[in-house]
Amino acid sequence: MRSSVVSMLALGAAVTSAFPTASRASSQVKRATSCTFTSATKASESQKSCSTIVLDNIEVPAGESLDLSDLEDGTKVIFDGETTFGYEEWDGPLIRIEGSNIIVTGTSNHTINGGGARWWDGEGTNGGKTKPKFFYAHSLDDSTITGLNIKNTPVQAFSVQSDNIVLNRITIDNSDGDSAGGHNTDAFDVSESNGVTIRNAVVKNQDDCLAINSGSNIVFTGGTCSGGHGLSIGSVGGRDDNTVKNVTISHSTVADSANGIRIKTISDATGSVSGVTFSDITLSGISDYGIVFEQDYENGSPTGTPTTGVPITDLTVSSITGSVDSDAEQVYILCGDGSCSDWTWSGVSITGGSSSSECENVPSGASC
Ligand SMILES: *[C@@H]1O[C@H](CO)[C@@H](O)[C@H](O)[C@H]1NC(C)=O
Ligand SMILES: *[C@@H]1O[C@H](CO)[C@@H](O)[C@H](O)[C@H]1NC(C)=O
């Protein structure tokens, strides 16, 4: 073992002379390797010794994660062929990738197929089978995930808890679940993160396209969302971190979904939502609300009675256009007394449906 490290050191000395210490040099040399794996277990065991990890038609064993949570800084992870998962009732995640400066991509001929239909029973995380979460991007800092093609997640797709992460051109196609019992198939759940950019996502699912529970400096742009619950902040409150700050959601479309854009905060909880911008969003086929901001959630449902502990301040709503279904409402705002302020509202032009007669404490600037 020792002698192989020494000989690799000698071999790599010229290449690594720019690095100041021997230990840094040895890790650089050791990792100047591209590894192709056809087994998830082997990929996990050998993850520290490869600078590039190609996952070639991996079949992840039932009840196990494709676990790349111990990567060296700067590792590249490339999905190739079809990645599949064995069936078991468990919480998951099916994939877990952690590290710094990690680059995750897929080849032009890859699919990551969750095979969700085996778990779908119309109950999502509310009951029935225990369903594995799909992809934990936790502590995946200063990293990028680009161009992944994902199909049929059992329940929620991405859980993002990372700093300075970019998710670009990710496609999540859970449309098979529309008729086969897909439920709670959120595409991107973001929490406890600082600096998240999600660009050019294409999502077909049965729950939120985006849900931000906490975090700061978050951008979602160029998204195409359909079949689900729309672009959402919340629910905020009642967790470890209940602050949402500086979020821009823009240049996106939401089609055939329950809501267009939404903020929901938890009844009687504390926290804050500030500096959120929704702009240039086009809606179509919205069945419940085009725009909905409400401060009355409890156990996942609205109570109808807003509370003031999670104020929504410095909110910008601009250029929200398109249409809602005939039995939907264009805008619904339910704020507590004084807990919504500094709102800027322009270019909201939604056709179809009706106006809500139940808005409360609508701040000046906004209209219901
Ligand atoms: C693409 O991936 C599929 C599934 O793994 C495989 O059967 C097929 O041979 C691949 N095609 C090319 C051109 O690599
Ligand atoms: C808000 O977040 C964006 C995106 O991360 C960042 O570029 C900008 O500087 C932040 N604004 C403030 C006031 O922190």
Side-chain angles (χ1 to χ4, degrees), residues 195 217-219 246:
N217 306 325
I218 297 167
V219 173
N246 185 22

Side-chain angles (χ1 to χ4, degrees), residues 57 81-82 109:
N57 284 287
E82 186 172 27
N109 187 40

Side-chain angles (χ1 to χ4, degrees), residues 164 194-197 216-219 245-248 275 314:
N164 301 317
N194 178 22
V196 176
T197 301
S216 54
N217 306 325
I218 297 167
V219 173
K245 189 174 177 175
N246 185 22
V247 175
T248 299
D314 189 16

Side-chain angles (χ1 to χ4, degrees), residues 3 26 30 40 64 84 148 155 181 227-228 237 245 268 270 272 276 289:
S3 72
S26 84
K30 194 176 61 172
E64 288 179 27
T84 57
L148 296 188
V155 268
K245 189 174 177 175
D268 284 329
T270 57
S272 66
V276 172
Y289 303 103

Side-chain angles (χ1 to χ4, degrees), residues 131-147:
K131 303 168 188 77
K133 307 285 197 307
F134 187 69
F135 194 131
Y136 279 7
H138 294 183
S139 303
L140 184 56
D141 302 328
D142 304 306
S143 295
T144 60
I145 305 178
T146 308

